[in-house]
Amino acid sequence: MILTIFAFVIWVSAWRFNSVLAASPNRRIARVAVPVLFGVTILAVWECLVRGLEVPSVILPAPSAISDAFLRSLDILWADFVQTVIKGALSGYAIGCSAAFAIAILIDRSPFFQRGLLPVGNFLAALPIVGTAPIFVMWFGFGWQSKAAVVVAMIFFPMLVNLVQGLAATDPMQRDLMKTYGASYWQTMLKLKLPAAMPFAFNGLKICATLSLIGAIVAEFFGSPTLGMGFRISTEVGRLALDVVWAEIVVAAVTGSVFFGLIAMIEQGVTFWHPSRRSRQTA
């Protein structure tokens, strides 16, 4: 009971402090301090409530138990990380985004491909992962190749739609000006269309960054060697080792956040000229 009341006090105090930080004139400090304090508050309240209410670990382990399981299983977590993220998610991410870029160029080049390939991409996006994952496992085996294939199927259409929309974002006057200069199609693509498409492309890359990780993990539920985050989660759930399951979830969440953050940092350097980026910097 005391820990439960203490959790409530922590939450109210942190809420008040976060409100003060959010209203601070120093925006840079607020952008870092507010989410950090919010995350620490959630962990503290989680710990107090689980211990105060005596929640069984098979239902919800405390953050301290999860951290202990994380430290005990570092070698296993690293092997699962390599299998799922580096082999499955990143390879599928690279293949899917590259294929979407090539198809987007074809669609931009020819109205025939625009009418024919976009519906095919929409059809691939509508396929349920629970139906395609077992098929890909039968086609490509139990290794990382089948997980990469699932990732490609998941991220291809979101990336394609963003690229097609970005390549079409230029004004008719800008395209007419390039024709006036006698620019070829590829000169127009490199000097006009691709720079204009960069904000759209990075939106697709950020969306696909999280989708690729989810796809690789879910695909491992339908067939995997004795490695991988999805395999470990399904196995440890059957053994009621929820602390190890949460440790895998923490690794996946941190990996997805870091991957998203890296792409966002690259985006800031590439699209610094875009009006939306300049308005954020001056705000």
Side-chain angles (χ1 to χ4, degrees), residues 84 129-130 133 147 150 154 213-223 230:
T84 301
I129 186 175
V130 294
K147 317 308 176 291
V150 172
M154 283 190 65
L213 188 59
I214 295 172
I217 292 175
V218 173
E220 289 178 344
F221 281 84
F222 299 94

Side-chain angles (χ1 to χ4, degrees), residues 69-82 227 232:
F70 183 89
L71 295 175
R72 289 196 316 267
S73 310
L74 282 177
D75 54 341
I76 296 175
L77 295 175
W78 172 249
D80 292 341
F81 176 85
V82 171
L227 286 174
R232 195 71 54 197

Side-chain angles (χ1 to χ4, degrees), residues 119-178:
V120 174
N122 189 16
F123 173 78
L124 290 176
L127 294 176
I129 186 175
V130 294
T132 57
I135 296 175
F136 285 142
V137 169
M138 295 178 64
W139 286 356
F140 300 103
F142 289 93
W144 62 267
Q145 294 85 350
S146 59
K147 317 308 176 291
V150 172
V151 172
V152 170
M154 283 190 65
I155 71 172
F156 174 77
F157 186 69
M159 192 67 203
L160 178 65
V161 169
N162 278 277
L163 286 170
V164 170
Q165 187 176 5
L167 293 175
T170 54
D171 295 330
M173 186 177 297
Q174 294 172 330
R175 295 192 293 269
D176 291 341
L177 181 62
M178 296 298 292

Side-chain angles (χ1 to χ4, degrees), residues 22-38:
S24 172
N26 194 328
R27 297 294 184 91
R28 292 185 177 180
I29 295 178
R31 288 175 183 174
V32 177
V34 170
V36 169
L37 179 60
F38 187 73

Side-chain angles (χ1 to χ4, degrees), residues 88-103:
L90 286 182
S91 59
Y93 182 83
I95 296 171
C97 292
S98 301
F101 180 80
I103 299 300

